Each structure stands twice: as structure tokens, then as C-alpha cells.
């Protein structure tokens, strides 16, 4: 992830508990499956992370760039 995407994903996960929980559970599962295989661990996260990046970027563009989310609170 690039720095911009990292911030967008971080911000998205901070306000979307279910997505954060799903990501955490996936990471825990992969850590058990691939305790000594970082490539297997990363490969296991790949599809989820790509979908998460897209979702977070769409959310960011819709809510953060125009500050809608901050006005709602």
C-alpha cells in the first residue's frame, strides 16, 4: 500500500467496525496457517486488501474529500 492508500484504509477501518473486524480475523487466520511463510500470509490477504483499498478509496472520495463525513458528526 502506498502512504495515501494506507491513510485512506486506516480512516475507513476506524469508522467501519465490521470491515475492521473481518480484516483482523483474516489476519489472525492467516497467521495460524502461515506462521513461517510471509509470502503465503501476504498472498492470503491480497484479494481482501485490494477490495478493501477500492472500497476505502470510494468512501474517502465520497465522504472525506468534500468533508461530508465531518459535517455529519
Amino acid at each position: 500500500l502506498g502512504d495515501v492508500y494506507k491513510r485512506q484504509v486506516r480512516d475507513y477501518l476506524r469508522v467501519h467496525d465490521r470491515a475492521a473486524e473481518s480484516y483482523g480475523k483474516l489476519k489472525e487466520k492467516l497467521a495460524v496457517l502461515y506462521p513461517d511463510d510471509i509470502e503465503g500470509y501476504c498472498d492470503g490477504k491480497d484479494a481482501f486488501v485490494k477490495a478493501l483499498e477500492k472500497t476505502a478509496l470510494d468512501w474517502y472520495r465520497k465522504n472525506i474529500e468534500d468533508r461530508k463525513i465531518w459535517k455529519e458528526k
Side-chain angles (χ1 to χ4, degrees):
L1 291 172
D3 287 341
V4 172
Y5 287 130
K6 285 180 186 177
R7 286 191 299 271
Q8 292 166 348
V9 169
R10 177 204 63 201
D11 291 349
Y12 178 82
L13 291 174
R14 284 181 175 172
V15 297
H16 293 89
D17 294 338
R18 275 190 253 162
E21 184 178 334
S22 294
Y23 187 42
K25 285 181 180 181
L26 174 63
K27 290 169 54 173
E28 289 173 1
K29 176 183 171 185
L30 293 170
V32 170
L33 290 172
Y34 303 104
D36 300 315
D37 180 6
I38 190 66
E39 286 186 36
Y41 175 83
C42 290
D43 288 346
K45 291 189 334 176
D46 191 55
F48 186 95
V49 169
K50 285 180 180 175
L52 178 60
E53 286 177 340
K54 182 185 179 327
T55 301
L57 181 59
D58 291 345
W59 171 82
Y60 186 87
R61 287 181 175 151
K62 181 178 177 183
N63 294 291
I64 301 297
E65 286 182 349
D66 64 5
R67 302 293 186 206
K68 285 182 185 176
I69 195 167
W70 307 121
K71 292 176 185 174
E72 293 174 6
K73 288 188 173 187

